[in-house]
Amino acid sequence: MAMLEIKDLEVYYGMIQAIKGISFEVNEGEVIALIGANGAGKTTFLKTVAGFLQPVDGEFSLGNHTTIGYFGQHSAGIESGKTVFEHFTGIFPSLTQKDARSILGAYLFGGREAEKKVSSLSGGEKARLVLAELLQSRPNFLVLDEPTNHMDIRAKENLESAFRAYKGTILFVSHDRYFIRQIADAVLIFENQAVMYYPFGYEHYLERKKKQEVGVSIGAQIKAEEQALIAGMRAVPKGERHRLREISTESAYVD
């Protein structure tokens, strides 16, 4: 089931730059990383999907019963005189103390850590708390912009575990290669004011990047190879084409 359908979407970023012709689907349960240089429009795209910005042109639609949980670059700027435990239970009053402490412990706010004042937390700790709240609210589609910023290795590992256990769909930006490798199924490549969906995962994309021709964008190279593959498949005698159906999409593409 498609959680998000995008057709010929156009968004502006950096005041005058635009990304045009964005078309793809995000399916239920997919975890997709947005990759590309700083200033390539990734944050603008996420804000558009989350409903904070209007597209210039084109259309996108969310699937039925889709609920979005958004984490932006400024989401961790929370200030409160309450303790972590008081803050969390204030948002989720139906939780028992035992359950609340168990959940907070999973995000490294066990024991004394839960008694810290929210205002005294570091940026990474605040991000962890906000993400704990976000996951506890149980949206089925997470839209995350740099969720691991300012986090240490232990915190990232806990977050990776939480995201792997999460059954919903995730669209996220991160510059942490290890984090992307651990959780992403596919990538959206932001390059040369265009967006390309690459379904074979981050590791596969990096291998392709190594073999990239000088002066040719990876998007252009892959499109050229796709056309060559299509032409090759058309050249196969009709009687043999049924055998291609036994080969997975990725295997056919790699071959």
Side-chain angles (χ1 to χ4, degrees), residues 83-112:
T83 67
V84 168
F85 180 77
E86 290 168 343
H87 174 80
F88 190 75
T89 53
I91 296 172
F92 303 104
S94 62
L95 288 175
T96 64
Q97 285 202 17
K98 182 180 178 181
D99 286 342
R101 290 195 180 278
S102 176
I103 293 165
L104 286 172
Y107 292 90
L108 306 182
F109 290 111
R112 293 180 181 177

PDB file of all heavy atoms in Angstrom, residues 83-112:
ATOM      1  N   THR A  83      11.183  17.892  35.158  1.00  0.00           N
ATOM      2  CA  THR A  83      12.145  16.807  34.939  1.00  0.00           C
ATOM      3  C   THR A  83      11.739  16.046  33.678  1.00  0.00           C
ATOM      4  O   THR A  83      10.607  16.199  33.183  1.00  0.00           O
ATOM      5  CB  THR A  83      12.164  15.829  36.128  1.00  0.00           C
ATOM      6  OG1 THR A  83      10.898  15.147  36.193  1.00  0.00           O
ATOM      7  CG2 THR A  83      12.447  16.552  37.426  1.00  0.00           C
ATOM      8  N   VAL A  84      12.645  15.230  33.194  1.00  0.00           N
ATOM      9  CA  VAL A  84      12.351  14.411  32.014  1.00  0.00           C
ATOM     10  C   VAL A  84      11.123  13.541  32.281  1.00  0.00           C
ATOM     11  O   VAL A  84      10.216  13.445  31.437  1.00  0.00           O
ATOM     12  CB  VAL A  84      13.569  13.524  31.654  1.00  0.00           C
ATOM     13  CG1 VAL A  84      13.187  12.468  30.622  1.00  0.00           C
ATOM     14  CG2 VAL A  84      14.719  14.384  31.153  1.00  0.00           C
ATOM     15  N   PHE A  85      11.072  12.928  33.466  1.00  0.00           N
ATOM     16  CA  PHE A  85       9.952  12.059  33.801  1.00  0.00           C
ATOM     17  C   PHE A  85       8.640  12.848  33.859  1.00  0.00           C
ATOM     18  O   PHE A  85       7.618  12.419  33.309  1.00  0.00           O
ATOM     19  CB  PHE A  85      10.206  11.371  35.145  1.00  0.00           C
ATOM     20  CG  PHE A  85       9.099  10.458  35.574  1.00  0.00           C
ATOM     21  CD1 PHE A  85       8.962   9.198  35.005  1.00  0.00           C
ATOM     22  CD2 PHE A  85       8.185  10.864  36.543  1.00  0.00           C
ATOM     23  CE1 PHE A  85       7.921   8.349  35.393  1.00  0.00           C
ATOM     24  CE2 PHE A  85       7.148  10.023  36.922  1.00  0.00           C
ATOM     25  CZ  PHE A  85       7.017   8.764  36.348  1.00  0.00           C
ATOM     26  N   GLU A  86       8.659  14.019  34.497  1.00  0.00           N
ATOM     27  CA  GLU A  86       7.442  14.843  34.599  1.00  0.00           C
ATOM     28  C   GLU A  86       6.987  15.304  33.216  1.00  0.00           C
ATOM     29  O   GLU A  86       5.789  15.310  32.907  1.00  0.00           O
ATOM     30  CB  GLU A  86       7.717  16.059  35.484  1.00  0.00           C
ATOM     31  CG  GLU A  86       7.906  15.723  36.959  1.00  0.00           C
ATOM     32  CD  GLU A  86       8.465  16.894  37.755  1.00  0.00           C
ATOM     33  OE1 GLU A  86       9.008  17.853  37.132  1.00  0.00           O
ATOM     34  OE2 GLU A  86       8.377  16.865  38.996  1.00  0.00           O
ATOM     35  N   HIS A  87       7.944  15.703  32.402  1.00  0.00           N
ATOM     36  CA  HIS A  87       7.630  16.177  31.048  1.00  0.00           C
ATOM     37  C   HIS A  87       6.986  15.057  30.231  1.00  0.00           C
ATOM     38  O   HIS A  87       5.953  15.265  29.577  1.00  0.00           O
ATOM     39  CB  HIS A  87       8.923  16.658  30.378  1.00  0.00           C
ATOM     40  CG  HIS A  87       8.764  17.043  28.945  1.00  0.00           C
ATOM     41  ND1 HIS A  87       8.251  18.261  28.557  1.00  0.00           N
ATOM     42  CD2 HIS A  87       9.057  16.367  27.799  1.00  0.00           C
ATOM     43  CE1 HIS A  87       8.233  18.329  27.228  1.00  0.00           C
ATOM     44  NE2 HIS A  87       8.719  17.186  26.751  1.00  0.00           N
ATOM     45  N   PHE A  88       7.572  13.871  30.274  1.00  0.00           N
ATOM     46  CA  PHE A  88       7.090  12.748  29.467  1.00  0.00           C
ATOM     47  C   PHE A  88       5.716  12.278  29.933  1.00  0.00           C
ATOM     48  O   PHE A  88       4.814  12.048  29.118  1.00  0.00           O
ATOM     49  CB  PHE A  88       8.105  11.605  29.531  1.00  0.00           C
ATOM     50  CG  PHE A  88       7.841  10.496  28.566  1.00  0.00           C
ATOM     51  CD1 PHE A  88       8.125  10.646  27.209  1.00  0.00           C
ATOM     52  CD2 PHE A  88       7.308   9.282  29.000  1.00  0.00           C
ATOM     53  CE1 PHE A  88       7.885   9.618  26.311  1.00  0.00           C
ATOM     54  CE2 PHE A  88       7.071   8.251  28.103  1.00  0.00           C
ATOM     55  CZ  PHE A  88       7.365   8.417  26.757  1.00  0.00           C
ATOM     56  N   THR A  89       5.534  12.135  31.235  1.00  0.00           N
ATOM     57  CA  THR A  89       4.234  11.661  31.752  1.00  0.00           C
ATOM     58  C   THR A  89       3.154  12.730  31.599  1.00  0.00           C
ATOM     59  O   THR A  89       1.964  12.401  31.551  1.00  0.00           O
ATOM     60  CB  THR A  89       4.341  11.232  33.231  1.00  0.00           C
ATOM     61  OG1 THR A  89       4.931  12.293  34.001  1.00  0.00           O
ATOM     62  CG2 THR A  89       5.191   9.980  33.360  1.00  0.00           C
ATOM     63  N   GLY A  90       3.553  13.993  31.513  1.00  0.00           N
ATOM     64  CA  GLY A  90       2.582  15.050  31.249  1.00  0.00           C
ATOM     65  C   GLY A  90       1.998  14.940  29.846  1.00  0.00           C
ATOM     66  O   GLY A  90       0.836  15.285  29.600  1.00  0.00           O
ATOM     67  N   ILE A  91       2.815  14.445  28.906  1.00  0.00           N
ATOM     68  CA  ILE A  91       2.354  14.261  27.532  1.00  0.00           C
ATOM     69  C   ILE A  91       1.542  12.972  27.401  1.00  0.00           C
ATOM     70  O   ILE A  91       0.576  12.899  26.640  1.00  0.00           O
ATOM     71  CB  ILE A  91       3.563  14.229  26.565  1.00  0.00           C
ATOM     72  CG1 ILE A  91       4.276  15.578  26.583  1.00  0.00           C
ATOM     73  CG2 ILE A  91       3.128  13.882  25.138  1.00  0.00           C
ATOM     74  CD1 ILE A  91       5.586  15.592  25.829  1.00  0.00           C
ATOM     75  N   PHE A  92       1.929  11.942  28.181  1.00  0.00           N
ATOM     76  CA  PHE A  92       1.248  10.644  28.119  1.00  0.00           C
ATOM     77  C   PHE A  92       0.726  10.271  29.517  1.00  0.00           C
ATOM     78  O   PHE A  92       1.254   9.370  30.185  1.00  0.00           O
ATOM     79  CB  PHE A  92       2.201   9.561  27.609  1.00  0.00           C
ATOM     80  CG  PHE A  92       2.790   9.863  26.263  1.00  0.00           C
ATOM     81  CD1 PHE A  92       4.111  10.297  26.145  1.00  0.00           C
ATOM     82  CD2 PHE A  92       2.032   9.744  25.109  1.00  0.00           C
ATOM     83  CE1 PHE A  92       4.657  10.582  24.910  1.00  0.00           C
ATOM     84  CE2 PHE A  92       2.569  10.033  23.862  1.00  0.00           C
ATOM     85  CZ  PHE A  92       3.884  10.461  23.762  1.00  0.00           C
ATOM     86  N   PRO A  93      -0.316  10.976  29.987  1.00  0.00           N
ATOM     87  CA  PRO A  93      -0.807  10.772  31.367  1.00  0.00           C
ATOM     88  C   PRO A  93      -1.406   9.393  31.615  1.00  0.00           C
ATOM     89  O   PRO A  93      -1.535   8.982  32.773  1.00  0.00           O
ATOM     90  CB  PRO A  93      -1.874  11.866  31.518  1.00  0.00           C
ATOM     91  CG  PRO A  93      -2.299  12.186  30.119  1.00  0.00           C
ATOM     92  CD  PRO A  93      -1.086  12.007  29.276  1.00  0.00           C
ATOM     93  N   SER A  94      -1.771   8.669  30.567  1.00  0.00           N
ATOM     94  CA  SER A  94      -2.400   7.351  30.768  1.00  0.00           C
ATOM     95  C   SER A  94      -1.364   6.261  31.084  1.00  0.00           C
ATOM     96  O   SER A  94      -1.735   5.165  31.511  1.00  0.00           O
ATOM     97  CB  SER A  94      -3.199   6.948  29.516  1.00  0.00           C
ATOM     98  OG  SER A  94      -2.352   6.830  28.392  1.00  0.00           O
ATOM     99  N   LEU A  95      -0.078   6.561  30.893  1.00  0.00           N
ATOM    100  CA  LEU A  95       0.962   5.576  31.194  1.00  0.00           C
ATOM    101  C   LEU A  95       1.125   5.407  32.706  1.00  0.00           C
ATOM    102  O   LEU A  95       1.068   6.386  33.451  1.00  0.00           O
ATOM    103  CB  LEU A  95       2.306   6.016  30.603  1.00  0.00           C
ATOM    104  CG  LEU A  95       2.477   5.940  29.085  1.00  0.00           C
ATOM    105  CD1 LEU A  95       3.832   6.550  28.699  1.00  0.00           C
ATOM    106  CD2 LEU A  95       2.387   4.503  28.590  1.00  0.00           C
ATOM    107  N   THR A  96       1.340   4.179  33.144  1.00  0.00           N
ATOM    108  CA  THR A  96       1.688   3.966  34.543  1.00  0.00           C
ATOM    109  C   THR A  96       3.128   4.443  34.756  1.00  0.00           C
ATOM    110  O   THR A  96       3.903   4.567  33.797  1.00  0.00           O
ATOM    111  CB  THR A  96       1.607   2.479  34.920  1.00  0.00           C
ATOM    112  OG1 THR A  96       2.592   1.746  34.167  1.00  0.00           O
ATOM    113  CG2 THR A  96       0.212   1.916  34.615  1.00  0.00           C
ATOM    114  N   GLN A  97       3.501   4.694  36.001  1.00  0.00           N
ATOM    115  CA  GLN A  97       4.872   5.119  36.277  1.00  0.00           C
ATOM    116  C   GLN A  97       5.872   4.070  35.804  1.00  0.00           C
ATOM    117  O   GLN A  97       6.922   4.400  35.251  1.00  0.00           O
ATOM    118  CB  GLN A  97       5.047   5.366  37.781  1.00  0.00           C
ATOM    119  CG  GLN A  97       4.409   6.652  38.263  1.00  0.00           C
ATOM    120  CD  GLN A  97       5.036   7.136  39.575  1.00  0.00           C
ATOM    121  OE1 GLN A  97       6.125   6.712  39.959  1.00  0.00           O
ATOM    122  NE2 GLN A  97       4.335   8.044  40.243  1.00  0.00           N
ATOM    123  N   LYS A  98       5.522   2.799  36.026  1.00  0.00           N
ATOM    124  CA  LYS A  98       6.422   1.721  35.623  1.00  0.00           C
ATOM    125  C   LYS A  98       6.632   1.714  34.111  1.00  0.00           C
ATOM    126  O   LYS A  98       7.770   1.598  33.624  1.00  0.00           O
ATOM    127  CB  LYS A  98       5.835   0.378  36.077  1.00  0.00           C
ATOM    128  CG  LYS A  98       6.730  -0.807  35.742  1.00  0.00           C
ATOM    129  CD  LYS A  98       6.111  -2.113  36.211  1.00  0.00           C
ATOM    130  CE  LYS A  98       6.986  -3.307  35.829  1.00  0.00           C
ATOM    131  NZ  LYS A  98       6.376  -4.594  36.274  1.00  0.00           N
ATOM    132  N   ASP A  99       5.544   1.850  33.357  1.00  0.00           N
ATOM    133  CA  ASP A  99       5.644   1.842  31.894  1.00  0.00           C
ATOM    134  C   ASP A  99       6.416   3.066  31.392  1.00  0.00           C
ATOM    135  O   ASP A  99       7.244   2.958  30.479  1.00  0.00           O
ATOM    136  CB  ASP A  99       4.255   1.815  31.253  1.00  0.00           C
ATOM    137  CG  ASP A  99       3.583   0.452  31.378  1.00  0.00           C
ATOM    138  OD1 ASP A  99       4.304  -0.535  31.650  1.00  0.00           O
ATOM    139  OD2 ASP A  99       2.356   0.373  31.207  1.00  0.00           O
ATOM    140  N   ALA A 100       6.134   4.220  31.995  1.00  0.00           N
ATOM    141  CA  ALA A 100       6.824   5.450  31.578  1.00  0.00           C
ATOM    142  C   ALA A 100       8.323   5.329  31.817  1.00  0.00           C
ATOM    143  O   ALA A 100       9.134   5.705  30.954  1.00  0.00           O
ATOM    144  CB  ALA A 100       6.255   6.647  32.334  1.00  0.00           C
ATOM    145  N   ARG A 101       8.700   4.801  32.957  1.00  0.00           N
ATOM    146  CA  ARG A 101      10.137   4.651  33.271  1.00  0.00           C
ATOM    147  C   ARG A 101      10.790   3.606  32.355  1.00  0.00           C
ATOM    148  O   ARG A 101      11.953   3.746  31.972  1.00  0.00           O
ATOM    149  CB  ARG A 101      10.335   4.293  34.736  1.00  0.00           C
ATOM    150  CG  ARG A 101       9.993   5.446  35.684  1.00  0.00           C
ATOM    151  CD  ARG A 101      10.514   5.251  37.077  1.00  0.00           C
ATOM    152  NE  ARG A 101      10.157   6.377  37.933  1.00  0.00           N
ATOM    153  CZ  ARG A 101      10.837   7.521  37.980  1.00  0.00           C
ATOM    154  NH1 ARG A 101      11.911   7.695  37.205  1.00  0.00           N
ATOM    155  NH2 ARG A 101      10.448   8.494  38.786  1.00  0.00           N
ATOM    156  N   SER A 102      10.036   2.581  32.002  1.00  0.00           N
ATOM    157  CA  SER A 102      10.560   1.556  31.102  1.00  0.00           C
ATOM    158  C   SER A 102      10.827   2.136  29.714  1.00  0.00           C
ATOM    159  O   SER A 102      11.880   1.884  29.107  1.00  0.00           O
ATOM    160  CB  SER A 102       9.569   0.386  31.005  1.00  0.00           C
ATOM    161  OG  SER A 102      10.021  -0.565  30.075  1.00  0.00           O
ATOM    162  N   ILE A 103       9.889   2.931  29.224  1.00  0.00           N
ATOM    163  CA  ILE A 103      10.043   3.564  27.904  1.00  0.00           C
ATOM    164  C   ILE A 103      11.205   4.549  27.924  1.00  0.00           C
ATOM    165  O   ILE A 103      12.059   4.549  27.023  1.00  0.00           O
ATOM    166  CB  ILE A 103       8.740   4.278  27.487  1.00  0.00           C
ATOM    167  CG1 ILE A 103       7.638   3.246  27.244  1.00  0.00           C
ATOM    168  CG2 ILE A 103       8.966   5.124  26.227  1.00  0.00           C
ATOM    169  CD1 ILE A 103       6.251   3.840  27.185  1.00  0.00           C
ATOM    170  N   LEU A 104      11.271   5.383  28.952  1.00  0.00           N
ATOM    171  CA  LEU A 104      12.364   6.356  29.052  1.00  0.00           C
ATOM    172  C   LEU A 104      13.713   5.646  29.161  1.00  0.00           C
ATOM    173  O   LEU A 104      14.712   6.099  28.588  1.00  0.00           O
ATOM    174  CB  LEU A 104      12.140   7.273  30.257  1.00  0.00           C
ATOM    175  CG  LEU A 104      11.039   8.319  30.092  1.00  0.00           C
ATOM    176  CD1 LEU A 104      10.779   9.035  31.431  1.00  0.00           C
ATOM    177  CD2 LEU A 104      11.400   9.342  29.023  1.00  0.00           C
ATOM    178  N   GLY A 105      13.729   4.527  29.873  1.00  0.00           N
ATOM    179  CA  GLY A 105      14.970   3.762  30.002  1.00  0.00           C
ATOM    180  C   GLY A 105      15.478   3.263  28.665  1.00  0.00           C
ATOM    181  O   GLY A 105      16.689   3.193  28.432  1.00  0.00           O
ATOM    182  N   ALA A 106      14.547   2.930  27.773  1.00  0.00           N
ATOM    183  CA  ALA A 106      14.932   2.452  26.444  1.00  0.00           C
ATOM    184  C   ALA A 106      15.613   3.549  25.631  1.00  0.00           C
ATOM    185  O   ALA A 106      16.338   3.260  24.678  1.00  0.00           O
ATOM    186  CB  ALA A 106      13.707   1.940  25.697  1.00  0.00           C
ATOM    187  N   TYR A 107      15.374   4.797  26.037  1.00  0.00           N
ATOM    188  CA  TYR A 107      16.015   5.936  25.355  1.00  0.00           C
ATOM    189  C   TYR A 107      17.102   6.558  26.229  1.00  0.00           C
ATOM    190  O   TYR A 107      17.438   7.734  26.096  1.00  0.00           O
ATOM    191  CB  TYR A 107      14.949   6.979  24.975  1.00  0.00           C
ATOM    192  CG  TYR A 107      14.024   6.476  23.899  1.00  0.00           C
ATOM    193  CD1 TYR A 107      12.857   5.790  24.233  1.00  0.00           C
ATOM    194  CD2 TYR A 107      14.323   6.657  22.547  1.00  0.00           C
ATOM    195  CE1 TYR A 107      12.014   5.300  23.252  1.00  0.00           C
ATOM    196  CE2 TYR A 107      13.485   6.173  21.570  1.00  0.00           C
ATOM    197  CZ  TYR A 107      12.332   5.496  21.926  1.00  0.00           C
ATOM    198  OH  TYR A 107      11.492   5.001  20.937  1.00  0.00           O
ATOM    199  N   LEU A 108      17.651   5.738  27.134  1.00  0.00           N
ATOM    200  CA  LEU A 108      18.772   6.111  28.007  1.00  0.00           C
ATOM    201  C   LEU A 108      18.415   7.174  29.046  1.00  0.00           C
ATOM    202  O   LEU A 108      19.282   7.927  29.486  1.00  0.00           O
ATOM    203  CB  LEU A 108      19.981   6.577  27.171  1.00  0.00           C
ATOM    204  CG  LEU A 108      20.461   5.594  26.085  1.00  0.00           C
ATOM    205  CD1 LEU A 108      21.679   6.159  25.367  1.00  0.00           C
ATOM    206  CD2 LEU A 108      20.785   4.236  26.699  1.00  0.00           C
ATOM    207  N   PHE A 109      17.155   7.223  29.433  1.00  0.00           N
ATOM    208  CA  PHE A 109      16.740   8.114  30.523  1.00  0.00           C
ATOM    209  C   PHE A 109      16.293   7.282  31.720  1.00  0.00           C
ATOM    210  O   PHE A 109      15.220   7.476  32.292  1.00  0.00           O
ATOM    211  CB  PHE A 109      15.596   9.033  30.075  1.00  0.00           C
ATOM    212  CG  PHE A 109      16.012  10.091  29.080  1.00  0.00           C
ATOM    213  CD1 PHE A 109      15.575  10.032  27.769  1.00  0.00           C
ATOM    214  CD2 PHE A 109      16.852  11.131  29.463  1.00  0.00           C
ATOM    215  CE1 PHE A 109      15.960  10.988  26.853  1.00  0.00           C
ATOM    216  CE2 PHE A 109      17.241  12.096  28.542  1.00  0.00           C
ATOM    217  CZ  PHE A 109      16.793  12.028  27.236  1.00  0.00           C
ATOM    218  N   GLY A 110      17.112   6.337  32.095  1.00  0.00           N
ATOM    219  CA  GLY A 110      16.794   5.510  33.249  1.00  0.00           C
ATOM    220  C   GLY A 110      17.326   6.121  34.529  1.00  0.00           C
ATOM    221  O   GLY A 110      18.269   6.914  34.527  1.00  0.00           O
ATOM    222  N   GLY A 111      16.723   5.766  35.673  1.00  0.00           N
ATOM    223  CA  GLY A 111      17.211   6.195  36.989  1.00  0.00           C
ATOM    224  C   GLY A 111      17.353   7.698  37.120  1.00  0.00           C
ATOM    225  O   GLY A 111      16.416   8.461  36.888  1.00  0.00           O
ATOM    226  N   ARG A 112      18.561   8.150  37.482  1.00  0.00           N
ATOM    227  CA  ARG A 112      18.804   9.571  37.721  1.00  0.00           C
ATOM    228  C   ARG A 112      18.631  10.427  36.472  1.00  0.00           C
ATOM    229  O   ARG A 112      18.307  11.620  36.565  1.00  0.00           O
ATOM    230  CB  ARG A 112      20.214   9.772  38.275  1.00  0.00           C
ATOM    231  CG  ARG A 112      20.421   9.200  39.673  1.00  0.00           C
ATOM    232  CD  ARG A 112      21.835   9.447  40.143  1.00  0.00           C
ATOM    233  NE  ARG A 112      22.077   8.898  41.467  1.00  0.00           N
ATOM    234  CZ  ARG A 112      23.250   8.933  42.077  1.00  0.00           C
ATOM    235  NH1 ARG A 112      24.289   9.475  41.455  1.00  0.00           N
ATOM    236  NH2 ARG A 112      23.388   8.410  43.297  1.00  0.00           N
TER     237      ARG A 112
END
